């Protein structure tokens, strides 16, 4: 797989993978690589840990994406070609939800009415679960605006699933008119007996489990959201269509750990279950690329023979042996893992795997992201 | 906090931290250690229904557990997967008792779609299931929580839910019970796991603060996989200068050395940052094996040696 080619040709790249593999930094590096190729790139992240903001030096929450300033980039030694832009946004579910209400409510009065409901206010506070819906919605919204050539989506941490893809699907199924009719019957329509019976079951179940009055409140809320739902459903299917098209690519990020292969293959399977194709695997923080390194023992002998007198250095080189052994073992196991990922990555129409190097520094600032973006663009 | 207590000496032990820090290993090791002390333990994994494997229960030979009820993993150790829909089924059958109505509700596609689609309702299912498990017979329920953001989401949920739902209802009542348990210092202790790297340490400390703000008692912070070394300060400086000054190809071991230096910085930040009253536990990187099962057993043995409240940081050597 060639990440460099992806960031030059696609309009959406989705990064998924297990927690802790480096999705956020990889996403940011991909966006930077695209900008260096003269594209207007936006990285959307749903990372609740707000790491990307630190790396890019942007405020952690905001209503709009931040255009990373040329001066800030220049300080990190990055110069973008004409047309190249880097934008970033930390997705704030509350902001996205408010945007949905504003844009979709027929009138300002309707929007105010929705905001006034207790359920809406509570919904705003529930970050969990909302992230997944808002990710898809934000992707759609930014795509529609047409201000970006490429959007990189960093998916929320979730151990085993692609919730951000499942969530809109679940929502679309719930918002299906027949399902909704059971929860919030249209007062102007006479329901058929089947719907009426189902509505009765649901109402009883909700009242007994959630307490007196909840079913009514939910019904009012869903009723007032009514017209919005139709548009949200259209968006959910729009996102799906976009992700199914050849404009979009899914990459699965893995880091060198024992379970890496199993997890990467699991994610690929989940992507396939959703009717999509995983482009390939990225082995992040890989040692696989290093070769021709001098073992510390050889260095020590060479230096001693050359008249080196610093005993501390000679002792230190001796003590480096276990670390060097550990590194040699990792180089070997990372190469093996990369081969396996390549093999797995070629199945089902995928394009194999590629490695991104482990850096000697923490990837938490622009210069480090720049090194990674170079690796993305130069790996053949 | 009384000196000499074990980390797991609470009814509810919440193991949390960002992805990839070794939470699951620590959770399994805590269960193993408590088991070795003769305790009855339930090991619970908060997960979603689509996951078909369980790394946590895999440590006890059940990588693909079936069913929703707790299963026997070993003497005195049971395991369970807590999923939203299992929780939904539990509360629907409790609320509707049995019979036609319960069957109709559980078969209702509309209701099931709602419970899985509406934000917060999957988490309500998760929390409900946890509450029902806490009513049962174990000495300790060790919970492997999902990655950072979701863990905070899960423990902040009760207050939000209680504002929408009347506490007179079945769910409202259970959520209140869950909130009481989660915030009770004598019943609950959270263990925040992190790694010796700059961002994970910072995030671990932020998570600790976040939990404290939600009144969840944090018992210990674990710095996992701390590399060991035998360098003196002078030797480290000499080696650093040599590595920078090399004209030829890099030295094998440079990356591991840089990682070690960063780990030492991160550990210093960890030691300075963990607030008083929260115990610091440092677990060295296991360099004798890469087998995750063996490592878990080593860590379990080591955690038995940890007695909280000691004046100095606790270092365990697996």
């Amino acid at each position: 797989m060639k990440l460099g080619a992806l960031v030059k040709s696609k309009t959406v790249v989705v990064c998924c993978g297990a927690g802790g593999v480096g999705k956020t930094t990889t996403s940011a590096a991909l966006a930077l690589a695209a900008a260096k190729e003269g594209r207007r790139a936006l990285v959307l992240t749903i990372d609740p840990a707000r790491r990307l903001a630190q790396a890019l030096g942007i405020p952690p929450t905001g209503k709009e994406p931040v255009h990373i300033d040329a001066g800030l980039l220049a300080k990190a030694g990055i110069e973008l070609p004409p047309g190249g832009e880097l934008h970033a946004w930390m997705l704030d579910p509350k902001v996205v939800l408010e945007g949905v209400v504003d844009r979709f409510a027929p009138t300002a009065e309707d929007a105010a009415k929705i905001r006034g409901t207790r359920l809406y206010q509570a919904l705003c506070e529930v970050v969990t679960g909302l992230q997944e819906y808002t990710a898809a919605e934000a992707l759609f919204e930014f795509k529609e605006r047409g201000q970006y050539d490429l959007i990189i989506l960093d998916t929320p941490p979730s151990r085993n699933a692609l919730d951000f893809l499942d969530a809109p699907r679940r929502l679309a199924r719930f918002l299906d008119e027949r399902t909704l009719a059971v929860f919030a019957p249209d007062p102007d329509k006479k329901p058929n007996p089947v719907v009426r019976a189902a509505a009765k079951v649901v109402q009883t179940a909700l009242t007994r489990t959630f307490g007196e009055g909840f079913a009514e409140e939910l019904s009012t809320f869903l009723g007032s959201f009514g017209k919005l739902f139709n548009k949200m459903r259209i968006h959910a299917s729009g996102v799906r269509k976009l992700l199914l098209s050849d404009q979009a690519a899914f990459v699965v990020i893995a880091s060198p750990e024992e379970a890496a292969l199993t997890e990467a293959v699991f994610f690929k399977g989940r992507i396939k279950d959703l009717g999509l194709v995983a482009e390939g695997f990225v082995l992040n923080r890989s040692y696989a690329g290093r070769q021709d390194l001098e073992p510390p023992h050889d260095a020590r002998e060479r230096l001693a023979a050359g008249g080196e007198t610093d005993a501390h250095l000679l002792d230190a080189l001796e003590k480096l042996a276990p670390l060097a052994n550990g590194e040699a073992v990792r180089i070997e196991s990372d190469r093996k893992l990369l081969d396996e990922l390549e093999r797995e990555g070629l199945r089902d129409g995928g394009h194999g795997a590629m490695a991104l190097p482990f850096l000697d520094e923490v990837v938490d600032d622009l210069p480090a992201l720049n090194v990674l973006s170079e690796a993305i663009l130069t790996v053949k | 906090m009384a000196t000499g207590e074990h980390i797991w000496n609470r009814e509810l032990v919440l193991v949390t931290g960002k992805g990839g820090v070794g939470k699951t290993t620590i959770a399994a090791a805590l269960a193993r250690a408590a088991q070795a002390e003769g305790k009855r333990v339930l090991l619970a994994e908060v997960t979603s229904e689509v996951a078909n494997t369980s790394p946590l229960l895999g440590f006890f030979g059940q990588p693909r557990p079936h069913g929703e009820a707790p299963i026997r993993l070993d003497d005195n150790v049971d395991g369970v997967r807590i999923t939203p829909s299992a929780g939904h089924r539990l509360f629907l059958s409790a609320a509707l008792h049995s019979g036609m109505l319960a069957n109709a509700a559980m078969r209702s596609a509309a209701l099931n779609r709602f419970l899985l689609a509406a934000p917060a309702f999957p988490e309500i299912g998760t929390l409900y299931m946890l509450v029902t498990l806490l009513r049962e017979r174990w000495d300790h329920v060790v919970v492997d929580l999902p990655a950072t953001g979701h863990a905070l989401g899960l423990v902040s949920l009760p207050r939000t839910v209680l504002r929408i739902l009347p506490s007179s209802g079945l769910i409202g009542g259970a959520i209140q019970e869950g909130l009481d348990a989660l915030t009770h210092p004598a019943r609950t202790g959270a263990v925040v796991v992190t790694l010796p790297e700059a961002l994970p340490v910072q995030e671990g400390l932020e998570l600790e603060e976040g939990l404290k703000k939600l009144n969840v008692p944090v018992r210990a912070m674990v710095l996992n996989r701390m590399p060991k070394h035998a360098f003196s300060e002078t030797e480290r400086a000499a080696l650093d200068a040599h590595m920078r000054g090399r004209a030829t190809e890099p030295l094998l071991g440079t990356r591991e050395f840089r990682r070690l230096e960063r780990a030492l910085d991160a550990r210093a930040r960890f030691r300075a940052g963990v607030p008083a009253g929260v115990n610091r536990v440092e677990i060295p990187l296991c360099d004798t094996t890469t087998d995750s099962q063996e490592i878990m057993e080593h860590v379990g043995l080591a955690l038995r040696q940890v007695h909280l409240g000691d004046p100095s940081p606790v270092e365990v050597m697996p």
Side-chain angles (χ1 to χ4, degrees):
Chain A
M1 182 184 52
K2 293 186 182 75
L3 282 174
L6 288 185
V7 299
K8 283 178 217 170
S9 61
K10 300 289 178 183
T11 64
V12 174
V13 173
V14 181
C15 296
C16 34
V21 297
K23 284 189 295 285
T24 305
T25 44
T26 307
S27 303
L30 284 169
L32 179 57
K36 284 160 76 172
E37 287 296 317
R39 303 188 84 196
R40 297 168 301 169
L42 167 68
V43 52
L44 274 182
T45 181
I46 310 147
D47 182 1
R50 313 279 185 219
R51 258 169 300 164
L52 185 69
Q54 288 168 334
L56 296 173
I58 59 169
T61 52
K63 289 215 165 207
E64 286 291 319
V66 176
H67 185 169
I68 309 297
D69 176 62
L72 197 67
L73 292 171
K75 252 191 250 163
I78 303 165
E79 202 180 325
L80 298 181
E85 292 174 11
L86 178 61
H87 302 259
W89 195 41
M90 311 287 304
L91 193 150
D92 184 339
K94 216 168 169 172
V95 171
V96 177
L97 190 65
E98 276 169 13
V100 167
V101 171
D102 283 340
R103 270 177 293 124
F104 294 164
T107 65
E109 207 173 278
D110 289 323
K113 191 175 156 201
I114 290 170
R115 285 213 194 85
T117 62
R118 216 152 53 108
L119 279 175
Y120 174 82
Q121 287 159 5
L123 194 62
C124 276
E125 284 173 34
V126 181
V127 178
T128 323
L130 202 54
Q131 284 172 350
E132 284 78 21
Y133 299 110
T134 47
E137 178 58 36
L139 179 63
F140 188 86
E141 155 78 5
F142 289 120
K143 191 79 182 61
E144 287 283 282
R145 283 195 201 174
Q147 293 169 2
Y148 311 102
D149 302 319
L150 172 66
I151 300 174
I152 310 275
L153 181 67
D154 168 31
T155 56
S158 90
R159 179 180 263 160
N160 277 317
L162 290 167
D163 282 341
F164 108 94
L165 284 175
D166 290 334
R169 236 166 48 142
R170 285 199 302 258
L171 188 66
R173 287 178 60 197
F174 173 64
L175 297 181
D176 165 83
E177 269 169 41
R178 274 168 307 172
T179 306
L180 205 56
V182 170
F183 281 84
D186 188 333
D188 304 333
K189 262 197 225 154
K190 196 169 178 285
N192 73 44
V194 178
V195 172
R196 205 160 48 212
K200 183 125 190 8
V201 168
V202 165
Q203 200 187 358
T204 314
L206 290 178
T207 304
R208 294 231 193 132
T209 39
F210 296 106
E212 210 59 55
F214 179 74
E216 289 74 19
E217 190 161 354
L218 184 67
S219 168
T220 314
F221 173 74
L222 291 173
S224 69
F225 245 85
K227 290 199 181 72
L228 266 71
F229 281 145
N230 207 17
K231 290 184 182 159
M232 282 168 81
R233 198 166 59 217
I234 292 167
H235 276 201
S237 65
V239 166
R240 197 172 157 71
K241 215 155 112 196
L242 172 66
L243 295 176
L244 275 168
S245 75
D246 58 6
Q247 289 183 46
F250 281 79
V251 291
V252 179
I253 321 283
S255 70
E257 267 149 40
E258 203 194 2
L261 188 67
T262 328
E263 284 188 350
V265 171
F266 176 82
F267 270 91
K268 182 168 172 164
R270 291 289 301 144
I271 291 170
K272 194 182 163 198
D273 291 347
L274 292 163
L276 304 160
V277 177
E279 197 73 24
F281 298 117
V282 176
L283 179 61
N284 202 15
R285 303 184 200 121
S286 153
Y287 277 38
R290 276 279 171 100
Q291 44 201 343
D292 304 329
L293 303 175
E294 187 179 34
H297 179 74
D298 295 4
R300 189 176 185 277
E301 293 205 332
R302 183 171 55 79
L303 291 174
E308 174 65 57
T309 53
D310 184 351
H312 294 301
L313 175 59
L314 296 174
D315 286 351
L317 282 168
E318 210 168 295
K319 289 179 184 172
L320 191 63
L323 293 184
N325 289 340
E327 192 168 308
V329 168
R330 237 193 98 174
I331 291 172
E332 209 37 58
S333 69
D334 283 7
R335 279 185 192 150
K336 220 176 109 214
L337 179 58
L338 187 60
D339 284 346
E340 283 166 353
L341 286 172
E342 172 74 24
R343 225 179 5 256
E344 287 293 335
L346 287 171
R347 286 179 205 268
D348 302 320
H351 292 95
M354 84 171 260
L356 286 178
F358 176 87
L359 302 186
D360 290 342
E361 52 189 323
V362 187
V363 188
D364 65 350
D365 57 8
L366 275 169
L369 284 178
N370 194 25
V371 175
L372 275 188
S373 72
E374 277 308 301
I376 286 166
L377 293 172
T378 53
V379 167
K380 293 287 176 298
Chain B
M1 187 177 296
T3 313
E5 272 186 41
H6 286 296
I7 294 187
W8 62 84
N9 195 17
R10 288 294 178 269
E11 196 183 325
L12 175 60
V13 182
L14 301 168
V15 184
T16 181
K18 80 177 209 101
V21 298
K23 259 188 329 275
T24 303
T25 306
I26 299 292
L30 283 169
R32 186 58 108 201
Q35 175 198 26
E37 297 284 329
K39 302 294 182 184
R40 288 160 307 155
V41 188
L42 175 68
L43 199 48
E45 178 174 58
V46 173
T47 181
S48 75
E49 28 281 302
V50 295
N52 56 5
T53 59
S54 167
L56 180 68
L57 306 190
F59 278 119
F60 288 82
Q62 294 283 348
R64 288 175 185 275
H66 293 289
E68 292 176 349
I71 48 171
R72 177 46 57 99
L73 297 174
D74 198 357
D75 293 340
N76 280 340
V77 182
D78 296 311
V80 72
R81 286 154 43 91
I82 299 183
T83 65
S85 51
H88 296 158
R89 271 189 283 279
L90 281 175
F91 67 61
L92 285 177
S93 58
L96 308 172
H97 308 294
S98 53
M100 267 166 56
L101 184 58
N103 283 333
M106 281 194 241
R107 275 201 322 264
S108 161
L111 189 61
N112 283 312
R113 284 177 185 182
F114 166 73
L115 292 173
L116 288 175
F121 282 83
E123 286 74 21
I124 290 177
T126 299
L127 202 62
Y128 186 87
M129 186 161 174
L130 180 60
V131 168
T132 56
L133 290 168
L134 280 174
R135 291 178 190 149
E136 292 184 38
R137 60 191 185 278
W138 295 277
D139 295 321
H140 307 290
V141 176
V142 178
V143 184
D144 181 12
L145 284 176
T148 312
H150 280 71
L152 280 180
L154 193 65
V155 294
S156 67
L157 185 78
R159 288 177 186 83
T160 310
V161 169
L162 288 172
R163 265 203 298 273
I164 341 169
L165 296 180
S167 60
S168 58
L170 173 80
I171 296 293
I175 299 286
Q176 183 64 54
E177 190 180 332
L179 182 62
D180 292 345
L182 284 170
T183 54
H184 200 302
R187 294 183 65 192
T188 293
V191 175
V192 177
V193 185
T194 189
L195 291 178
E197 287 162 35
L199 288 175
V201 163
Q202 189 189 327
E203 285 172 16
L205 293 170
E206 282 168 8
L207 179 58
E208 191 274 334
E209 262 174 52
L211 289 169
K212 207 172 269 177
K213 263 189 208 140
L214 294 166
N215 294 327
V216 176
V218 179
R219 237 167 122 62
M221 287 197 65
V222 175
L223 189 69
N224 198 16
R225 298 191 210 133
M226 181 65 206
K228 288 176 262 191
H229 75 100
F231 298 106
S232 69
E233 290 280 334
T234 338
E235 285 165 355
R236 273 171 57 204
L239 201 51
D240 176 63
H242 170 74
M243 283 171 176
R244 287 176 196 283
R246 281 176 73 91
T248 52
E249 76 277 13
L251 195 61
L252 184 67
T254 304
R255 290 189 164 188
E256 292 298 292
F257 179 71
R258 294 292 177 220
R259 220 149 69 120
L260 169 69
E261 290 195 311
R262 293 210 302 259
L264 292 170
D265 285 349
R267 185 179 66 181
R269 245 174 276 176
F270 175 81
R271 288 181 173 174
V274 176
V278 176
N279 289 276
R280 284 187 268 132
V281 179
E282 297 176 10
I283 298 181
L285 181 69
C286 186
D287 50 13
T288 53
T289 176
T290 55
D291 182 273
S292 54
Q293 180 74 39
E294 255 181 76
I295 293 174
M296 187 282 283
E297 303 288 353
H298 277 310
V299 175
L301 280 177
L303 287 174
R304 275 185 81 182
Q305 316 300 319
V306 175
H307 295 285
L308 297 183
D310 291 345
S312 57
V314 189
E315 244 192 85
V316 290
M317 305 295 286

